[in-house]
């Protein structure tokens, strides 16, 4: 009886694991389908940064433009200027205040900048993440441990547009983003996803 009980317990555990794996796979497919429903979009964002206890630290705002696959522009205007730009091959992280730009490969940059997943169609990159759906919200968590970004949460509205995002860092700090002026047919200029370092700016190329 004990042996049979062990077999039953093992079988039940395997069944539960299989169901959980299939559910996560379905959640991943559901998120990819939602993101694939728009090829491009632009939006305004309002940001609030909170500490590990939920105390507000800072507020900001800016504009974002996306074009699938792998073209992304995230430009913060307040309280300080900074830019995250993906040209489809590399990602440029530009901080005008310190006059420095860091260049990284797309696959490396997405680890610390999970927003880039929104524009990605590469299954090799997506396979590094677990997706968990809760109604209209999806939580994206890296399979790799000891990452600076613990999770990214995306919330969609009734019109299938991203309305909110939340980035949770391993140290407990959280950034909440509210999107507005969502436009799926923006006028995208030819240089929107191009970056040329201004004169005097230090380039840290980590590709």
């Amino acid at each position: 009886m004990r042996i049979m009980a062990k077999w039953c317990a093992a079988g039940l555990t395997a069944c539960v694991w299989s169901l959980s794996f299939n559910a996560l796979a379905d959640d991943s497919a559901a998120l990819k389908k939602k993101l694939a429903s728009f090829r491009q979009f632009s939006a305004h964002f309002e940001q609030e940064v909170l500490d590990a206890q939920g105390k507000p630290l800072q507020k900001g705002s800016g504009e974002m433009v996306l074009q699938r696959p792998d073209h992304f522009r995230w430009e913060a205007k307040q309280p300080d200027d900074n830019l995250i730009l993906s040209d489809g091959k590399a990602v440029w992280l530009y901080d005008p205040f310190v006059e420095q730009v860091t260049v990284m490969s797309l696959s490396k940059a997405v680890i610390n900048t999970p927003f880039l997943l929104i524009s990605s169609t590469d299954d090799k990159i997506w396979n590094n993440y677990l997706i968990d759906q809760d109604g209209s919200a999806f939580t994206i968590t890296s399979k790799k441990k000891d990452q600076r970004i613990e999770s990214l949460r995306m919330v969609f509205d009734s019109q299938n547009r991203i309305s909110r995002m939340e980035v949770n860092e391993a140290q407990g700090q959280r950034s909440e983003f509210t999107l507005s002026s969502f436009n799926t047919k923006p006028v995208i200029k030819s240089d929107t996803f191009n970056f040329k370092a201004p004169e005097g700016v230090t380039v840290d190329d980590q590709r």
Side-chain angles (χ1 to χ4, degrees), residues 54-72:
K55 180 182 178 181
L57 296 176
Q58 191 179 65
K59 289 187 177 182
S61 62
E63 308 294 329
M64 65 179 294
V65 184
L66 173 148
Q67 188 176 65
R68 294 164 64 84
D70 300 326
H71 288 73
F72 186 90

Side-chain angles (χ1 to χ4, degrees), residues 2-180:
R2 287 185 178 179
I3 293 176
M4 183 172 291
K6 288 182 179 180
W7 284 350
C8 288
L12 181 60
T13 299
C15 182
V16 170
W17 183 88
S18 178
L19 289 172
S20 298
F21 179 81
N22 289 335
L24 289 173
D26 290 344
D27 292 350
S28 179
L31 176 56
K32 289 180 182 179
K33 184 177 180 180
K34 279 185 175 291
L35 294 175
S37 67
F38 44 78
R39 180 176 173 271
Q40 59 187 28
F41 76 84
S42 64
H44 173 80
F45 66 83
E46 295 287 335
Q47 176 186 8
E48 183 170 20
V49 181
L50 304 100
D51 67 14
Q53 288 70 46
K55 180 182 178 181
L57 296 176
Q58 191 179 65
K59 289 187 177 182
S61 62
E63 308 294 329
M64 65 179 294
V65 184
L66 173 148
Q67 188 176 65
R68 294 164 64 84
D70 300 326
H71 288 73
F72 186 90
R73 184 183 184 94
W74 179 276
E75 192 167 8
K77 296 294 187 181
Q78 299 290 337
D80 300 304
D81 288 350
N82 61 73
L83 174 69
I84 301 171
L85 186 146
S86 171
D87 61 10
K89 296 179 180 179
V91 177
W92 306 74
L93 310 173
Y94 176 45
D95 187 339
F97 181 75
V98 297
E99 297 185 312
Q100 178 173 312
V101 59
T102 301
V103 193
M104 307 173 75
S105 65
L106 187 61
S107 58
K108 185 177 180 180
V110 74
I111 295 173
N112 292 318
T113 315
F115 296 132
L116 296 169
L117 278 174
I118 303 173
S119 63
S120 176
T121 58
D122 189 343
D123 285 337
K124 291 181 179 179
I125 291 179
W126 276 94
N127 287 340
N128 292 317
Y129 296 87
L130 297 173
I131 314 297
D132 184 25
Q133 182 179 7
D134 181 13
S136 62
F138 293 81
T139 300
I140 303 168
T141 308
S142 175
K143 292 179 181 179
K144 298 179 180 179
K145 303 300 181 183
D146 302 321
Q147 300 296 326
R148 185 175 70 83
I149 302 298
E150 194 170 77
S151 67
L152 166 65
R153 186 171 182 265
M154 279 190 278
V155 181
F156 290 81
D157 64 16
S158 59
Q159 296 181 342
N160 207 37
R161 301 172 302 189
I162 301 173
S163 60
R164 288 180 58 81
M165 293 190 290
E166 181 181 297
V167 175
N168 292 286
E169 299 185 16
Q171 300 300 319
Q173 185 169 295
R174 184 171 80 252
S175 294
E176 298 179 351
F177 301 87
T178 301
L179 274 59
S180 60

